[in-house]
Amino acid sequence: MEIGTKLKSARKKCGLTQEKAAEAVGVSRQTISNWENEKSYPDIVSVIRLSSLYSVSLDELLKGDEKMMEHLEESTNVVNSNKKLIAAALANILLLIVFVIFSGVIPENRFFLVGIFALSIIGASTLLYQIIRKI
């Protein structure tokens, strides 16, 4: 049985509406609906809250649903998250080096320099986004 079906069944057994469950977990009613229809998956904190709210063990909720297990593994895998952050930092440094090199070599081609500068800004923004998301 998939987690969406399990969540919906557990919610109904408790006599809760999607709205009441959403209030208790701290999400929107639409989010509960999306989880139950498997349009998206809850994060680990929400799964724990739902388990407690519905008085269902985590084991019962999670066992047998490979997609949910993959989602949780991906969302909680610190090593992969750190690798992505390091890759973004290295890409940003590389773009800055390229910008510095080409600014001295091709000073008369302003469009090229603006393009490299724009890529540097995008790289820095991506890196900042990853850092903020990690925090």
Side-chain angles (χ1 to χ4, degrees), residues 1 13 19-20 29 33 42 82 99-100 119:
M1 188 183 305
K13 279 182 186 175
E19 201 160 307
K20 292 290 182 189
R29 185 211 57 82
S33 176
N82 287 343
F99 177 66
V100 169
L119 285 174

Side-chain angles (χ1 to χ4, degrees), residues 25-38:
V25 176
V27 297
S28 70
R29 185 211 57 82
Q30 186 63 42
T31 299
I32 295 290
S33 176
N34 286 340
W35 291 342
E36 289 180 357
N37 293 315
E38 297 184 22

Side-chain angles (χ1 to χ4, degrees), residues 27-88:
V27 297
S28 70
R29 185 211 57 82
Q30 186 63 42
T31 299
I32 295 290
S33 176
N34 286 340
W35 291 342
E36 289 180 357
N37 293 315
E38 297 184 22
K39 292 181 181 175
S40 64
Y41 293 102
D43 60 15
I44 190 66
V45 174
S46 297
V47 171
I48 292 169
R49 288 180 183 159
L50 290 167
S51 170
S52 177
L53 176 65
Y54 298 155
S55 299
V56 176
S57 73
L58 287 172
D59 206 36
E60 286 180 60
L61 282 178
L62 299 176
K63 273 197 173 173
D65 191 340
E66 289 300 316
K67 287 182 184 177
M68 180 62 188
M69 293 304 291
E70 288 172 13
H71 167 74
L72 289 175
E73 185 176 328
E74 181 180 310
S75 66
T76 58
N77 192 334
V78 176
V79 173
N80 280 344
S81 177
N82 287 343
K83 285 180 183 177
K84 289 178 185 176
L85 190 58
I86 290 168

